[in-house]
């Protein structure tokens, strides 16, 4: 190992958080030099009224805008290309994403192609984006993906039906503008599944082989916040709980963007690519299965996770405390009423060998506390089936 392999870093965008933060969207774009904004969003966000509100703030700052809204869950490569064409044709100068992980990842993809050209598949992997992207402001409408503070973008290759993971410091947004009010228009199921994505980010970042002193406190605090706020946020949309989940998502995002993820995400990506399933839902289902296998490879850390999940661990051995983690996660999933078997989601058992191969090659497997073989991954999928 050479000296550079020991260097660690911690990158985050400028973060503005609080009830009513959306009112700063025009000002943020203007501050980054905007005259004509490309607003990337989806039809659900338009229906919820957040795009109309954003436009009001653009107009207040005398900004012109163009809207790209042909974005779906698990965003596609051709949507990134369409958005890029629109940005170039209309001569936009700043990109603003308002939405969940899908519009934000699409916006990152557009930003990449605008200045780096070629196909989005050219940038799959680590730090392959060499040219700076246009200024990017992200306004998350879910408390789940953390895409607004991460250097990840996941785009579906529609021809190969695989999810492409792009990891590059060049796509870190300039500003993350977080308004917990925006979570109020989401369904109970969406708050529950995106919240489980947040919990997965926090746990995977905490046990990642790249975790360190600047990522650990955020990861562990995110787990505590999910433990306290996810159920009331999903069941009652209580303002304090939604605010708590927005911070949980933010801290988990800062942790995983810098410490990267693990086997849950590696196993989830093939399912998203082949079956177009909701990312948070798959992570939730795979999390207890993977954690059970991961435990022996990071026992000290799982003992601390147990405590953050509300287990009274003081009189326990490390091993005992760690063993509570999968059970606590299962309890949470049950209380949220989320599915627990891949077969419930229509996944074919015959696809498991192909998915295991894809998961083994996924970037996220590299930082898991233990690198699973294809055969071991098949076993994990079968347990979750
Ligand atoms: Fe995720």
């Amino acid at each position: 190992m050479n000296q550079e392999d020991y260097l660690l870093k911690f990158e985050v965008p400028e973060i503005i958080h609080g009830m009513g933060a959306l009112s700063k969207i025009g000002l943020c774009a203007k501050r980054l030099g905007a005259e004509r904004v490309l607003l990337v969003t989806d039809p659900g966000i338009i229906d919820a009224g957040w795009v109309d509100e954003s436009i009001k703030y653009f107009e207040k700052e005398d900004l012109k805008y163009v809207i790209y809204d042909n974005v779906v869950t698990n965003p596609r490569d051709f949507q990134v290309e369409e958005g890029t064409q629109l940005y170039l044709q209309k001569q936009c100068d700043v990109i603003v994403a308002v939405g969940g992980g899908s519009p934000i990842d699409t916006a990152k993809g557009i930003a990449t192609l605008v200045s780096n050209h070629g196909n989005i598949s050219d940038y799959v992997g680590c730090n392959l984006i060499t040219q700076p992207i246009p200024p990017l402001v992200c306004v998350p409408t879910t408390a789940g993906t953390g895409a607004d503070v991460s250097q990840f973008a996941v785009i579906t290759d529609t021809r190969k039906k695989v999810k492409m993971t792009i990891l590059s410091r060049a796509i870190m947004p300039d500003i993350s503008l977080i308004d917990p009010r925006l979570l109020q228009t989401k369904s109970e199921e969406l708050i529950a599944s995106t919240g489980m994505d947040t919990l997965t980010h926090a746990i995977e970042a905490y046990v990642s082989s790249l975790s360190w002193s600047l990522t650990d406190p955020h990861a562990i605090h995110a787990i505590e916040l999910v433990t306290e706020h996810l159920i009331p946020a999903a069941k009652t949309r209580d303002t304090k709980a939604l605010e708590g989940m927005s911070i949980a998502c933010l801290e988990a995002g800062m942790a995983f963007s810098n410490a990267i993820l693990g086997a849950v995400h590696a196993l989830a990506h093939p399912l998203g690519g082949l079956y177009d399933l909701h990312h948070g839902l798959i992570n939730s289902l795979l999390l207890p299965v993977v954690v059970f296998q991961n435990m022996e490879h990071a026992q000290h850390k799982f003992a601390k996770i147990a405590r953050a999940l509300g287990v009274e661990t003081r009189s326990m051995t490390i091993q005992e405390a760690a063993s509570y983690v999968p059970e606590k996660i299962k309890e949470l999933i049950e209380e949220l009423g989320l599915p627990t078997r891949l077969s419930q989601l229509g996944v074919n058992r015959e696809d498991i060998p192909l998915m295991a191969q894809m998961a083994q090659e996924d970037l996220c497997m590299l930082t898991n506390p233990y690198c699973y073989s294809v055969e071991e991954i098949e076993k994990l999928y079968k347990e979750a089936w």
Side-chain angles (χ1 to χ4, degrees):
M1 218 180 230
N2 69 46
Q3 213 176 357
E4 285 210 346
D5 292 330
Y6 292 101
L7 300 179
L8 295 159
K9 65 179 181 66
F10 190 78
E11 285 186 65
V12 285
E14 176 183 341
I15 296 161
I16 302 170
H17 178 278
M19 289 288 179
L22 185 64
S23 65
K24 303 292 174 205
I25 194 170
L27 207 60
C28 285
K30 195 169 190 172
R31 205 148 55 73
L32 295 173
E35 286 183 13
R36 191 184 301 265
V37 170
L38 178 74
L39 175 61
V40 183
T41 188
D42 68 37
I45 308 297
I46 294 177
D47 289 345
W50 302 122
V51 169
D52 279 346
E53 193 175 323
S54 303
I55 288 170
K56 203 174 74 188
Y57 301 125
F58 290 145
E59 286 171 346
K60 197 173 159 201
E61 300 298 331
D62 291 325
L63 297 176
K64 296 187 179 67
Y65 57 87
V66 180
I67 297 172
Y68 180 69
D69 66 355
N70 185 25
V71 178
V72 291
T73 302
N74 297 317
R76 324 289 204 241
D77 43 12
F78 67 85
Q79 291 163 336
V80 168
E81 287 155 22
E82 275 176 10
T84 304
Q85 287 310 316
L86 192 63
Y87 179 99
L88 295 171
Q89 275 165 14
K90 302 289 181 185
Q91 297 182 311
C92 298
D93 42 25
V94 167
I95 301 177
V96 175
V98 178
S102 301
I104 294 176
D105 281 359
T106 306
K108 288 176 175 175
I110 294 168
T112 302
L113 293 194
V114 160
S115 55
N116 288 263
H117 315 293
N119 300 309
I120 196 65
S121 57
D122 300 339
Y123 304 100
V124 175
C126 205
N127 286 327
L128 297 177
I129 301 171
T130 52
Q131 298 304 309
I133 63 166
L136 176 61
V137 180
C138 294
V139 184
T141 58
T142 59
T145 67
D148 51 302
V149 290
S150 87
Q151 42 189 328
F152 277 88
V154 182
I155 306 287
T156 301
D157 180 327
T158 44
R159 204 169 44 83
K160 294 186 188 159
K161 282 195 164 184
V162 295
K163 281 207 161 195
M164 302 180 281
T165 303
I166 296 152
L167 169 60
S168 182
R169 64 179 67 93
I171 56 172
M172 177 67 86
D174 294 279
I175 301 177
S176 164
L177 186 61
I178 307 166
D179 186 345
R181 247 179 352 129
L182 276 56
L183 305 175
Q184 283 163 347
T185 52
K186 296 295 171 190
S187 67
E188 178 180 339
E189 197 198 7
L190 198 78
I191 293 175
S193 55
T194 51
M196 287 304 292
D197 189 24
T198 282
L199 180 63
T200 310
H201 294 156
I203 292 177
E204 296 215 285
Y206 191 63
V207 301
S208 157
S209 56
L210 282 181
S211 68
W212 65 298
S213 309
L214 287 193
T215 58
D216 284 349
H218 292 296
I220 219 75
H221 190 229
I223 298 169
E224 289 167 358
L225 288 171
V226 170
T227 306
E228 186 182 348
H229 295 297
L230 179 53
I231 290 172
K235 303 274 180 201
T236 66
R237 286 187 196 79
D238 167 71
T239 308
K240 190 168 162 272
L242 291 176
E243 217 168 337
M245 280 309 298
S246 73
I247 301 276
C249 174
L250 168 64
E251 289 202 79
M254 295 194 305
F256 92 76
S257 178
N258 290 284
I260 320 298
L261 293 159
V264 180
H265 276 76
L267 268 72
H269 289 152
L271 285 157
L274 288 174
Y275 290 96
D276 205 18
L277 296 169
H278 187 274
H279 176 70
L281 218 52
I282 317 167
N283 277 338
S284 164
L285 197 152
L286 293 169
L287 184 61
V289 177
V290 172
V291 160
F292 187 78
Q293 291 304 323
N294 267 350
M295 255 173 356
E296 63 172 303
H297 306 289
Q299 256 175 6
H300 275 82
K301 289 207 153 185
F302 279 108
K304 288 190 177 156
I305 290 172
R307 195 161 177 186
L309 285 168
V311 180
E312 178 47 82
T313 58
R314 269 177 291 191
S315 57
M316 293 182 192
T317 62
I318 298 286
Q319 199 176 5
E320 255 181 299
S323 70
Y324 274 87
V325 177
E327 285 316 308
K328 288 300 281 183
I329 296 168
K330 281 185 198 163
E331 275 173 30
L332 190 56
I333 294 169
E334 199 180 324
E335 221 169 316
L336 292 166
L338 295 173
T340 53
R341 317 287 337 156
L342 289 175
S343 50
Q344 285 174 275
L345 302 178
V347 174
N348 297 323
R349 211 174 153 90
E350 303 78 64
D351 285 337
I352 288 179
L354 170 67
M355 294 193 302
Q357 189 67 49
M358 290 158 85
Q360 219 277 331
E361 291 164 10
D362 193 283
L363 206 60
C364 294
M365 190 59 87
L366 294 174
T367 43
N368 197 64
Y370 171 79
C371 200
Y372 293 102
S373 67
V374 175
E375 294 71 31
E376 286 168 325
I377 297 170
E378 281 190 32
K379 263 195 197 165
L380 289 169
Y381 277 129
K382 282 176 188 162
E383 262 174 64
W385 196 79

